[in-house]
Amino acid sequence: MENNRIDVNVDLDMSVFQAGEMTHTKISEPGRFTRMGKSSYLTFNETMENNESASILVKITENGEIHLKREAKQNNLASMLYFTHHDHNSASVHSEYGVMQMKTYTKDSLVEIKDKPLQGKINIDYDLIYDDNIVGNYKFRLIFGV
């Protein structure tokens, strides 16, 4: 399966607790799974309002780190988040107003990938932190498979 792209179905359920409110987002989209070297990549698009979309890239490194890149070119929005189990990492959020440097704290993370048939899940519970203040608590639940 080295360097091969495999078409998969992606289901993402995300819960966000921010400013005293809970919001849920569910996404079901086609995607692609690729292994290159010792890292795995999952790419898919998120359909947004007004028929716009954001491209999502999830990278899983050999040591279990998870990198999450989200880019919506039409809105000039992008984010790059890094997750390491029980650790703080840098993060950046790009908007029309400029770049905000943030941090993530990964409270819990789980990656499971099985080959035959290809299926996997990625769970991340994390805090998004700006200027030493928690701006939101996130639960990221992603399931993919052929």
Side-chain angles (χ1 to χ4, degrees):
M1 184 153 69
E2 184 82 0
N3 296 332
N4 290 334
R5 291 182 177 187
I6 298 171
D7 291 332
V8 293
N9 295 312
V10 177
D11 291 308
L12 173 62
D13 187 359
M14 190 137 134
S15 300
V16 180
F17 184 73
Q18 193 171 30
E21 290 187 27
M22 180 71 79
T23 58
H24 295 277
T25 303
K26 289 189 181 224
I27 299 168
S28 291
E29 299 282 350
R32 289 223 165 126
F33 179 83
T34 307
R35 282 205 176 122
M36 291 176 48
K38 295 184 179 182
S39 295
S40 299
Y41 299 83
L42 182 64
T43 57
F44 59 98
N45 289 323
E46 171 189 353
T47 303
M48 299 167 37
E49 296 175 8
N50 303 328
N51 285 333
E52 295 174 355
S53 68
S55 61
I56 312 288
L57 168 68
V58 181
K59 175 183 178 183
I60 302 119
T61 67
E62 67 177 314
N63 63 358
E65 284 186 3
I66 303 165
H67 305 175
L68 178 60
K69 181 179 181 182
R70 182 177 184 266
E71 187 173 23
K73 291 183 179 178
Q74 307 93 326
N75 299 343
N76 199 26
L77 298 174
S79 61
M80 189 69 201
L81 308 176
Y82 299 92
F83 305 100
T84 306
H85 190 74
H86 289 161
D87 207 354
H88 288 88
N89 285 290
S90 61
S92 60
V93 177
H94 302 256
S95 73
E96 59 192 82
Y97 305 110
V99 179
M100 290 179 21
Q101 295 301 323
M102 305 183 92
K103 290 184 178 181
T104 60
Y105 176 70
T106 310
K107 297 187 271 190
D108 198 16
S109 63
L110 170 74
V111 175
E112 291 180 352
I113 300 173
K114 298 177 184 170
D115 286 331
K116 295 181 182 177
L118 176 65
Q119 59 185 358
K121 75 175 163 182
I122 302 166
N123 293 348
I124 312 167
D125 294 349
Y126 68 98
D127 292 335
L128 190 60
I129 303 163
Y130 177 71
D131 197 25
D132 293 326
N133 295 305
I134 296 173
V135 295
N137 309 107
Y138 294 76
K139 289 189 182 296
F140 179 94
R141 303 289 184 264
L142 188 144
I143 298 172
F144 66 92
V146 293

